[in-house]
Amino acid sequence: MSSPHRIAVGGIRHETNTFSTLRTRLEDFAVDRGDAVGITCEGAEVVGTLFANAFPHGVVERRGYETLKAELLERLRAALPLDGVYLKLHGAMEVEEIGDGDGDLASAVRGLVGPGVPIAASLDLHGNVSQRLVEACDVLTALRTAPHRDIRETQERALRLLCGCLDEGRRPAMAMVKPPILIAGESAVTDVEPARSLYADLADIERRPGVMDASIMIGCAWADTARTSTAAIVVAWDRETAEREARLLGERIWERRREFCPDAETAPLGQAVARALAAQEGPVFVSDSGDNVTAGGAGDLSLVLEELLRAGARRTLVGGLADAAAVERCHAAGVGAVVELALGGKLDTVNGRPLLVEGTVRHLAPGLARLGCGGVEVIVAADRRAFTTPSGFAAAGADAQSYKVVVVKQGYLFPELRPIAARSILALTPGFTDLDLPRLPYRRVARPIYPLDPEAAWRP
């Protein structure tokens, strides 16, 4: 009886927003080591190395990245000999002075384990995949849902494909084709067209002779890099099949480029607020899309709050706004106190400024304060925080369902909020995650690229 495959697992995962003026530091990463990496694979001996993950943010500081990379490689070296390696990555990590963090890490792993050990990696579909990453790995497979609901399934698929290579005793071929398209994540919700049909096609592609796996990368449009674009990736047992199917899939993505759009109604800020306040139903969720914390926004722009106060909004909750100093002031004053604050505008100083407000402290919790400013309540957080679930609001003593309007610093609504939203409006606000892509200062993307160049032509 043969011994189980010995597979090392680990990775460094980050979605980088290069338009952010902030930086992702070593201390921003949550790090698991050894068995705490928590990845298992039935029928295999799994060796945990290091897995580091940080919330979407600005460019990763080189010192922090290289510290994590060095430890991962050292743990990997200690685990040798190995039959295979599985890396849990994002695909859109940008490191200062290095650039492509995912390709750099995978290349370093390849250099350590040698050419004979297969490497598989799972990716977020919002990754910007480089040819360097493709060449360092044998298998790349990506998430197929946005909002994301298949993280575990994608991890299991990557491991299954890796074990399949080991069982067969041969290496697959992988091909990538990159249609030059920038797509904001909010324009490619996988439950609506055209993403729904394109992702449904992947199962048909995988049933074709010789094909092992197919992925569509929407890309991260808020990363201004030479590799930023959509991508079609196919893994097959032979090069000709992989290249043919990747080319055909890339052509289908390109043909439908003009159809990608948000699944919720969109409006400029003033119109979005007016519509929400005039709505008969509630709660109406308004997404401050330009300051989307889940895609690297600073989370401290007060533009929506200012508009709500100007409009005399009632029964409205803003969740939340990052301002550590304001939280400290509220805690020092205590519940019931009236405080004057210069709120927000301290992290993203490009698109916003502090807003002077007077409010009553309604609720305090560790790292949080809920402030009442007339008919508008604001959850202020000591950190950049996305309120993506009802329990997130509850931590600040608020029941999102009891308000007429709820503002969130995200793009598309996350799955746990959708059932309680009577209506959803994307406010087209400025910020590091501006949905109006031509307004962003792109300098490094390969041109021509749609929609920056609306009449761009392309053939794979």
Side-chain angles (χ1 to χ4, degrees), residues 143-164:
L143 300 178
R144 297 177 179 181
T145 61
H148 304 323
R149 302 182 298 275
D150 63 332
I151 294 173
R152 180 175 293 276
E153 292 90 337
T154 304
Q155 174 181 298
E156 292 172 349
R157 184 169 64 250
L159 285 163
R160 185 171 64 251
L161 290 165
L162 177 60
C163 288

Side-chain angles (χ1 to χ4, degrees), residues 115-169:
V117 177
I119 300 173
S122 59
L123 304 171
D124 190 300
L125 59 83
H126 296 125
N128 297 318
V129 180
S130 66
Q131 190 61 35
R132 186 181 187 190
L133 179 60
V134 171
E135 291 172 357
C137 297
D138 297 275
V139 172
L140 294 175
T141 189
L143 300 178
R144 297 177 179 181
T145 61
H148 304 323
R149 302 182 298 275
D150 63 332
I151 294 173
R152 180 175 293 276
E153 292 90 337
T154 304
Q155 174 181 298
E156 292 172 349
R157 184 169 64 250
L159 285 163
R160 185 171 64 251
L161 290 165
L162 177 60
C163 288
C165 295
L166 295 171
D167 291 340
E168 290 282 336

Side-chain angles (χ1 to χ4, degrees), residues 234-411:
V234 174
V235 183
W237 286 120
D238 66 273
R239 173 67 55 187
E240 182 180 355
T241 298
E243 290 179 348
R244 181 186 69 245
E245 297 298 337
R247 184 174 63 252
L248 293 172
L249 180 56
E251 288 174 343
R252 286 197 292 276
I253 297 168
W254 177 254
E255 288 166 0
R256 305 195 69 175
R257 64 193 180 281
R258 300 182 192 276
E259 299 177 44
F260 287 96
C261 62
D263 72 329
E265 62 181 296
T266 62
L269 175 56
Q271 291 182 26
V273 167
R275 290 182 193 177
L277 297 180
Q280 298 299 310
E281 69 275 29
V284 179
F285 276 75
V286 176
S287 292
D288 184 2
S289 64
D291 198 25
N292 176 4
V293 179
T294 69
D300 81 329
L301 293 181
S302 57
L303 302 174
V304 180
L305 173 60
E306 186 175 15
E307 183 67 24
L308 289 165
L309 294 173
R310 183 184 299 116
R314 315 293 297 178
R315 291 180 55 213
T316 296
L317 177 67
V318 177
L321 200 150
D323 192 324
V327 172
E328 186 176 343
R329 283 276 309 279
C330 290
H331 276 259
V335 173
V338 176
V339 293
E340 291 185 352
L341 299 169
L343 200 56
K346 302 176 184 71
L347 300 177
D348 183 352
T349 59
V350 175
N351 300 287
R353 52 175 172 66
L355 176 67
L356 296 176
V357 301
E358 180 179 277
T360 303
V361 180
R362 304 287 191 202
H363 185 89
L364 296 171
L368 295 172
R370 195 174 87 250
L371 192 68
C373 303
V376 181
E377 293 192 351
V378 188
I379 301 174
V380 188
D383 54 5
R384 299 168 56 251
R385 190 174 305 194
F387 289 80
T388 60
T389 65
S391 63
F393 293 102
D399 177 5
Q401 291 183 272
S402 67
Y403 294 84
K404 170 69 178 299
V405 177
V406 179
V407 177
V408 289
K409 287 186 175 293
Q410 56 190 262

Side-chain angles (χ1 to χ4, degrees), residues 96-118:
E96 63 180 359
E97 300 174 354
I98 292 175
D100 174 21
D102 301 280
D104 180 79
L105 181 65
S107 296
V109 171
R110 170 60 69 203
L112 177 62
V113 301
V117 177

Side-chain angles (χ1 to χ4, degrees), residues 15 46 80 94 107 157 160 185 197 206 218 225 259 265 278 282 302 329 398 414:
E15 180 178 3
V46 174
L80 296 174
E94 184 77 0
S107 296
R157 184 169 64 250
R160 185 171 64 251
S197 294
E206 290 169 352
I218 296 301
T225 75
E259 299 177 44
E265 62 181 296
S302 57
R329 283 276 309 279
F414 275 57

